[in-house]
Amino acid sequence: VACNPYDKDSVNDGMGTIVTVGVKHIKFWTMTDGKLQGKKGMLGGLTEAQPITCVDFIKSTTKDKEAYDGGYTVTGQHDGSVVIWRGTSAMHCVKSVHKKNPVASLCCRSFQGDSKFLVTGGGKDGKVKVFEAA
């Protein structure tokens, strides 16, 4: 469970959209009229449904053509890949970040005046991988 600090559209007392992950599921929760409302994440064929092992968030880059200001959700997958989400839809999958080892943790940061962002992921293979996600 984590809260997206970059989601300006959320009405969850300023804490952002709540995201839950687990075995073959990701759900995005917002508060509406005092009730939590959840929406399932849609993979759109980018990867198969599998356990999601970790989650973090990154703010939108200044070069983002569609100017999405809700930030992005980034998830680590059981097969070692990393998926980047825009809203409730998967938009990019970086395969084999940790070969076939689960991604155990993620840390996402923007740099160069928020024009780029960097993702680091630790895996069961004992390695930390760093890559620029665009």
Side-chain angles (χ1 to χ4, degrees):
V1 176
C3 296
N4 182 349
Y6 308 111
D7 184 1
K8 295 177 182 174
D9 296 327
S10 177
V11 292
N12 294 339
D13 293 327
M15 79 178 154
T17 299
I18 300 165
V19 179
T20 57
V21 298
V23 178
K24 296 184 180 182
H25 111 272
I26 182 168
K27 210 161 191 181
F28 299 85
W29 300 85
T30 56
M31 187 76 74
T32 306
D33 296 326
K35 294 182 182 179
L36 277 175
Q37 305 266 321
K39 290 185 181 179
K40 288 183 181 180
M42 307 302 287
L43 284 168
L46 285 178
T47 186
E48 62 187 50
Q50 59 185 293
I52 297 175
T53 54
C54 52
V55 61
D56 200 7
F57 306 94
I58 192 73
K59 136 167 127 161
S60 299
T61 67
T62 54
K63 68 178 184 180
D64 186 356
K65 291 180 174 72
E66 295 182 31
Y68 184 69
D69 67 353
Y72 297 98
T73 303
V74 182
T75 56
Q77 309 294 108
H78 188 265
D79 70 355
S81 61
V82 171
V83 176
I84 301 170
W85 302 77
R86 182 174 190 245
T88 60
S89 299
M91 59 181 268
H92 185 65
C93 180
V94 182
K95 302 206 181 256
S96 299
V97 173
H98 285 280
K99 304 214 172 165
K100 294 190 178 192
N101 295 295
V103 178
S105 63
L106 288 170
C107 181
C108 305
R109 296 292 180 261
S110 59
F111 64 103
Q112 290 187 350
D114 294 336
S115 67
K116 297 181 179 184
F117 60 91
L118 189 70
V119 177
T120 62
K124 187 178 176 185
D125 57 7
K127 297 178 181 176
V128 173
K129 304 286 180 125
V130 178
F131 59 93
E132 182 181 330

